[in-house]
Amino acid sequence: MARFATLTFFKMKNFIVASTSTVFGGNYLDYLTEEMAELFKNTNEVIFIPYARPGGISHDEYTTKAAKAFEKIGKKLIGLHTFSNPVEAIKNAKGVFTGGGNTFVLVDALYRLELMQPLREAIFNGLPYMGTSAGSNICGTSMQTTNDMPIVYPPSFKTLGVIPFNLNPHYLDPNPESTHMGETRETRIAEFHTQNTVPVVGLREGSWLRVKGDEIKLKGKLEARVFEQGKAPYEVATGTIMNF
Amino acid sequence: MARFATLTFFKMKNFIVASTSTVFGGNYLDYLTEEMAELFKNTNEVIFIPYARPGGISHDEYTTKAAKAFEKIGKKLIGLHTFSNPVEAIKNAKGVFTGGGNTFVLVDALYRLELMQPLREAIFNGLPYMGTSAGSNICGTSMQTTNDMPIVYPPSFKTLGVIPFNLNPHYLDPNPESTHMGETRETRIAEFHTQNTVPVVGLREGSWLRVKGDEIKLKGKLEARVFEQGKAPYEVATGTIMNF
């Protein structure tokens, strides 16, 4: 019985999907320190997926930056780009963190290196995973509600699908004082729903989803905005279990 | 000699690439009325490409909206979606206008209907063409500096290439008071240049490019912002001939 219980536990999904790495006025990952420490409590080493390369930063530079935040919780962060066999590295990983940047560049790299499927399987099998921004976008069924520019052409927009909806990280409310005539975020997501049926969760900065097994809980101080095809968008309070 | 001169004239590129259809506080296409009247002076019928479908509006509704603006300059606007053979319609067109909306949806439709090449050839051969927003994005070498969400997966990001650079319509300056941690437009374009070499012109709302032959002139009241790989971004004044 004890062994069965352990195996069951190991198979439970266990991950964090965060809107942003950094809240205004804070330091990189600071607001997530407690959650990260809890998520990665059973390992001293976490693998970092640096491919989204914010601002075109190098994989090494990005890993150095993220490693400093992980040092604060006593964890060693190792860039996936330093492994000769990244697929094996993901299969053997005890914890994975994917940083933000450009989602098209990230998804293109994951397909090129044949990492999408192994990463998906690992997360379904209980791998402690954390994503911020682009690293969160890939947890949805597709990357089609990203805010990023299509600076490369990935072989597909399909992503990990470890949550049964799509995300819009850095969700931004319309500014009633704006004179800008470009589409608001809400209009863009409404356009998504003219072509797709999957719900979209707009995660404001400082919000994250904590996934344990099949429970997906909204955390942080703010509400999230939910968009379902054919319905008016609505707000959900922090602490809400997200199932629709 | 007279005949030769006429043919040469006919082969000159002749089009308008506008940042937006509507400036704040104005009506649809109002600020472009004079330019449109001059561009389409030799025809009474203009074909409308409605595929970008802003907000998911139907092709018919969108055509009706745009047709009202063309009525003011005495032109009949006919939706390309009403032709049984859209490729032939483009080949026979005396004027074409492509409206804004979602660039991914527009580009996907142009490829599916095999219209990209015929439209490119027609514009190179002197077809009076006007694009706004998504309809302008497609004039660049690729759609990879669009602001739109990737709500469909087009077969390619390559576009008409009738101007030798890319566009960023609705160009938006960073807001120094913003606490939002998502990337600014300038950061996104800098990321584009980590992967691509083609220059990008950020066209602010109310600005447009008037192309006659190989001359590309910036028009409207505002400056445009130019991004070249490996250089600091810079401003160019209205009236500037854009060649780099």
Side-chain angles (χ1 to χ4, degrees):
Chain A
M1 275 309 281
R3 188 163 171 233
F4 178 74
T6 309
L7 281 173
T8 307
F9 176 76
F10 179 69
K11 289 279 185 181
M12 272 177 64
K13 290 195 289 279
N14 183 25
F15 62 97
I16 292 170
V17 175
S19 176
T20 185
S21 61
T22 316
V23 290
F24 183 73
N27 290 316
Y28 188 71
L29 297 180
D30 260 8
Y31 79 104
L32 287 168
T33 304
E34 242 176 80
E35 280 283 61
M36 286 163 58
E38 194 269 328
L39 175 70
F40 295 120
K41 66 186 175 198
N42 293 323
T43 181
N44 292 319
E45 273 189 12
V46 174
I47 288 183
F48 180 54
I49 301 183
Y51 303 135
R53 304 180 59 202
I57 189 174
S58 75
H59 295 151
D60 280 341
E61 288 172 303
Y62 198 14
T63 305
T64 301
K65 176 183 174 175
K68 280 183 191 150
F70 275 76
E71 263 170 35
K72 293 181 193 167
I73 56 164
K75 311 287 175 193
K76 189 176 172 192
L77 196 70
I78 307 167
L80 184 56
H81 65 291
T82 63
F83 289 83
S84 58
N85 187 333
V87 171
E88 279 304 305
I90 290 295
K91 285 183 178 168
N92 298 326
K94 300 287 180 284
V96 168
F97 167 48
T98 305
N102 184 289
T103 309
F104 292 84
V105 175
L106 172 61
V107 167
D108 189 57
L110 292 177
Y111 276 111
R112 255 190 308 107
L113 297 166
E114 297 181 350
L115 286 165
M116 200 64 91
Q117 193 55 27
L119 183 56
R120 174 184 156 86
E121 280 173 23
I123 296 173
F124 268 101
N125 284 327
L127 169 74
Y129 174 89
M130 183 169 84
T132 58
S133 195
S136 295
N137 254 326
I138 60 170
C139 292
T141 64
S142 84
M143 55 163 288
Q144 293 180 265
T145 47
T146 177
N147 311 309
D148 296 334
M149 261 187 192
I151 65 175
V152 298
Y153 184 72
S156 168
F157 286 161
K158 296 276 166 220
T159 46
L160 299 169
V162 293
I163 49 174
F165 47 82
N166 266 15
L167 285 175
N168 182 252
H170 303 282
Y171 181 75
L172 194 59
D173 292 291
N175 175 0
E177 282 166 30
S178 175
T179 60
H180 188 251
M181 300 299 283
E183 291 89 346
T184 64
R185 198 66 64 78
E186 187 155 319
T187 301
R188 294 179 191 283
I189 297 170
E191 288 183 358
F192 171 78
H193 277 142
T194 66
Q195 307 284 331
N196 304 274
T197 56
V198 64
V200 179
V201 173
L203 271 186
R204 295 186 177 92
E205 288 177 348
S207 292
W208 68 95
L209 302 176
R210 183 68 176 93
V211 183
K212 289 182 181 174
D214 290 328
E215 187 187 276
I216 306 173
K217 186 186 278 187
L218 177 64
K219 300 192 80 171
K221 288 180 193 147
L222 301 174
E223 297 183 309
R225 194 158 181 82
V226 178
F227 304 84
E228 293 188 69
Q229 196 186 37
K231 284 193 192 177
Y234 57 92
E235 298 283 317
V236 295
T238 185
T240 300
I241 307 298
M242 312 287 282
N243 49 0
F244 24 70
Chain B
M1 272 310 280
R3 190 163 168 229
F4 178 76
T6 308
L7 279 173
T8 306
F9 176 76
F10 180 70
K11 289 277 185 185
M12 271 178 63
K13 290 195 289 280
N14 182 25
F15 61 97
I16 292 171
V17 175
S19 176
T20 186
S21 60
T22 316
V23 291
F24 183 73
N27 290 317
Y28 188 71
L29 296 179
D30 260 8
Y31 80 103
L32 287 168
T33 304
E34 243 176 80
E35 280 283 58
M36 285 162 59
E38 194 268 327
L39 175 69
F40 296 119
K41 67 185 174 200
N42 292 324
T43 180
N44 291 319
E45 273 189 10
V46 175
I47 289 182
F48 180 53
I49 301 184
Y51 303 136
R53 301 180 60 201
I57 189 174
S58 76
H59 296 151
D60 280 342
E61 287 171 304
Y62 198 13
T63 305
T64 301
K65 176 184 173 174
K68 281 182 192 153
F70 275 75
E71 265 170 34
K72 293 182 193 168
I73 57 164
K75 311 289 173 190
K76 189 175 174 193
L77 197 70
I78 307 167
L80 185 55
H81 66 291
T82 63
F83 288 84
S84 58
N85 188 334
V87 171
E88 278 304 305
I90 290 295
K91 285 183 179 168
N92 298 327
K94 300 288 180 283
V96 168
F97 167 49
T98 305
N102 184 289
T103 308
F104 291 85
V105 174
L106 172 61
V107 167
D108 188 58
L110 291 177
Y111 276 110
R112 254 189 309 105
L113 297 167
E114 298 182 346
L115 285 165
M116 199 65 91
Q117 192 56 28
L119 183 56
R120 173 183 157 86
E121 280 173 23
I123 296 173
F124 268 101
N125 284 327
L127 169 75
Y129 174 89
M130 183 169 84
T132 58
S133 196
S136 295
N137 254 326
I138 60 170
C139 292
T141 65
S142 83
M143 55 162 287
Q144 293 182 262
T145 46
T146 176
N147 311 308
D148 295 334
M149 264 189 189
I151 64 175
V152 298
Y153 184 72
S156 168
F157 287 161
K158 296 276 167 221
T159 45
L160 299 169
V162 292
I163 49 174
F165 47 82
N166 267 15
L167 284 176
N168 182 252
H170 302 283
Y171 181 75
L172 195 59
D173 293 292
N175 174 358
E177 283 167 27
S178 175
T179 60
H180 188 250
M181 300 298 281
E183 291 88 348
T184 64
R185 197 65 64 77
E186 185 154 324
T187 302
R188 294 180 192 282
I189 296 171
E191 288 183 357
F192 171 78
H193 277 142
T194 67
Q195 308 283 333
N196 304 275
T197 56
V198 64
V200 180
V201 173
L203 270 187
R204 294 186 176 91
E205 288 176 348
S207 291
W208 69 95
L209 302 176
R210 183 66 177 94
V211 183
K212 289 182 182 174
D214 290 327
E215 186 186 277
I216 305 172
K217 186 185 278 189
L218 177 64
K219 300 192 79 171
K221 289 181 190 146
L222 302 173
E223 297 184 310
R225 194 157 181 85
V226 178
F227 305 83
E228 293 188 70
Q229 196 186 37
K231 285 193 190 176
Y234 56 93
E235 298 283 317
V236 295
T238 186
T240 300
I241 307 298
M242 311 289 280
N243 49 0
F244 24 71

